[in-house]
Amino acid sequence: MKKTILIWMALLMLGALLLTSCSQKTGTDQASTADSPTAASQSPADTQPAAETKGAAAPSATQAAEENQSAAQTGTEGFDPYAVANRYDVGAEMFQRQDGVDYGTLLKDVTYYSTVAGDNKQINILLPAGYDASQTYPVTYVFHGFGADHTAHIHEDSYLVLLYGNMLHQGLTVPQILVGMDMYTDKLSDKESKSDEELRYIYDKAIEETGVDLMPYIEANYPVKKGREYAAVGGVSEGGAKSLCTGFRWLDKFGYIGGFAPDTGVIPTEYYKGTFWNTPVFETFPQPTAENTPIYLYLTVGSKDPWNIDCTLYYRDVLNQMNIKNQTDYVEGYGHDADFWGQSYYNFLAKVFR
């Protein structure tokens, strides 16, 4: 009898050991499954290359605000503009006047003398909300499109003035001075008589004039921060081409460069070859050094643009071949118009001077 009891006790102990072993193995397998890659984590989206020529999926307005708020708090050293996808779904309300928003102070038709033009030139200047002459500010120089002037993007209730005011109010950009410049760089009294071809080459002179006359004038008369990390240049269409040229001509002066659907004429291309539109300013982009590489270089063009898709993407390809970092977006659904300029300037203003 005692022997039988001992046998049953041994069998019960063996069974308990087997149950414990099975329980431990099941827990181990579950933990291994949780740590291993799943089908969801290996989705096709994760295996695609980073978007350079396509408009990346836009983050929500809330996500974008959080990203930019964080960037503003961490400052330039903690913010990589290339790591944030640009968005092209900015709502119409960002380009409209809102109650309770200070849109800054607009100085119209400010006159200065240009040695390159041999005459006076005019600019429009937007001082930010809360402007304090005892403080210093970075500056963004804004280039217009073909046939326009210094009032094209910076005037009362213009899309850029309202966009900037709304962004600043929401903490989506930093306080800065915006300068709407005139690319016409010649005797002002002759402007109305100039042909398109003559204007194209007169506009080219704005590249030199910006560094020689305009920037020194702004620095001498307004409280601006000195240094390339505090200067940006952006423009649309023909102004996009000239902003690229100006930024690369003055790499020691500009840290941020934006060209939105830029025209031909920056470097040699096959597009519009044999016309005055194609006459290049540079044989190729000047090669930056470690000291003057652009902090942020942004090109973009819409899929419905009738003129400048090929040249924009060609500029991107040449920049990539030269190992010059850039963020170039090819954006579905947009044309060559103010709707696209607004989206482009939103992205630019969200990233400069962080």
Side-chain angles (χ1 to χ4, degrees):
M1 183 69 177
K2 182 185 288 188
K3 185 176 180 180
T4 300
I5 291 172
L6 290 172
I7 291 171
W8 277 107
M9 289 178 65
L11 289 172
L12 288 170
M13 291 175 66
L14 179 61
L17 288 170
L18 288 172
L19 286 172
T20 301
S21 175
C22 290
S23 175
Q24 288 175 341
K25 184 177 188 303
T26 302
T28 302
D29 288 346
Q30 288 172 342
S32 298
T33 302
D35 292 340
S36 65
T38 64
S41 70
Q42 292 180 328
S43 65
D46 290 334
T47 63
Q48 297 302 312
E52 277 192 327
T53 61
K54 294 288 183 183
S60 69
T62 301
Q63 288 173 322
E66 289 174 351
E67 288 171 349
N68 286 297
Q69 287 281 17
S70 175
Q73 293 168 0
T74 57
T76 301
E77 291 184 1
F79 175 61
D80 178 6
Y82 295 105
V84 179
N86 290 320
R87 45 179 309 215
Y88 296 91
D89 64 342
V90 180
E93 69 279 359
M94 289 298 291
F95 306 97
Q96 297 168 355
R97 187 170 289 276
Q98 307 291 333
D99 292 339
V101 176
D102 183 349
Y103 292 95
T105 302
L106 179 63
L107 307 179
K108 295 188 286 187
D109 301 329
V110 176
T111 300
Y112 69 100
Y113 184 77
S114 167
T115 62
V116 176
D119 200 354
N120 288 329
K121 290 187 65 172
Q122 290 185 321
I123 48 179
N124 274 7
I125 300 174
L126 181 64
L127 304 176
Y131 175 79
D132 181 350
S134 68
Q135 304 295 316
T136 56
Y137 298 87
V139 184
T140 292
Y141 294 85
V142 177
F143 282 47
H144 58 79
F146 197 89
D149 60 23
H150 61 289
T151 70
H153 301 281
I154 298 181
H155 60 82
E156 291 176 352
D157 289 334
S158 68
Y159 78 96
L160 186 53
V161 167
L162 299 181
L163 172 66
Y164 174 65
N166 289 328
M167 289 182 70
L168 187 60
H169 182 73
Q170 296 180 34
L172 301 176
T173 188
V174 301
Q176 59 194 274
I177 295 173
L178 302 184
V179 177
M181 60 91 65
D182 190 346
M183 293 193 298
Y184 185 83
T185 309
D186 209 320
K187 296 291 184 183
L188 194 58
S189 60
D190 298 335
K191 184 176 183 179
E192 298 305 317
S193 66
K194 299 298 183 183
S195 66
D196 284 355
E197 183 169 358
E198 288 173 316
L199 284 177
R200 158 63 217 276
Y201 298 118
I202 289 172
Y203 286 170
D204 283 355
K205 296 196 293 183
I207 299 165
E208 191 72 12
E209 198 269 343
T210 300
V212 171
D213 295 309
L214 178 55
M215 294 183 79
Y217 173 81
I218 294 296
E219 292 174 357
N221 290 276
Y222 298 90
V224 301
K225 294 180 183 291
K226 304 292 179 63
R228 60 189 298 273
E229 65 270 33
Y230 302 115
V233 57
V236 307
S237 193
E238 180 67 6
K242 294 300 176 284
S243 67
L244 289 177
C245 293
T246 301
F248 274 89
R249 166 63 181 87
W250 300 104
L251 286 168
D252 61 324
K253 295 182 180 294
F254 288 103
Y256 300 88
I257 305 170
F260 314 140
D263 283 353
T264 53
V266 178
I267 58 175
T269 73
E270 293 299 312
Y271 315 110
Y272 303 102
K273 198 168 184 178
T275 71
F276 64 84
W277 295 108
N278 186 264
T279 306
V281 171
F282 303 124
E283 284 305 309
T284 190
F285 289 101
Q287 182 70 58
T289 66
E291 291 74 26
N292 64 18
T293 293
I295 299 168
Y296 184 54
L297 175 56
Y298 171 41
L299 283 75
T300 186
V301 68
S303 66
K304 295 182 178 180
D305 191 295
W307 301 296
N308 292 340
I309 294 174
D310 290 336
C311 57
T312 301
L313 300 184
Y314 180 73
Y315 295 153
R316 174 209 62 192
D317 292 344
V318 172
L319 290 166
N320 288 342
Q321 291 165 11
M322 297 175 67
N323 294 317
I324 300 174
K325 193 170 186 178
N326 65 94
Q327 190 166 30
T328 298
D329 294 339
Y330 173 78
V331 190
E332 294 292 344
Y334 281 101
H336 196 91
D337 52 35
D339 287 343
F340 189 54
W341 309 148
Q343 303 291 318
S344 302
Y345 267 113
Y346 176 93
N347 294 318
F348 198 53
L349 290 172
K351 293 183 176 181
V352 297
F353 314 131
R354 290 302 192 181

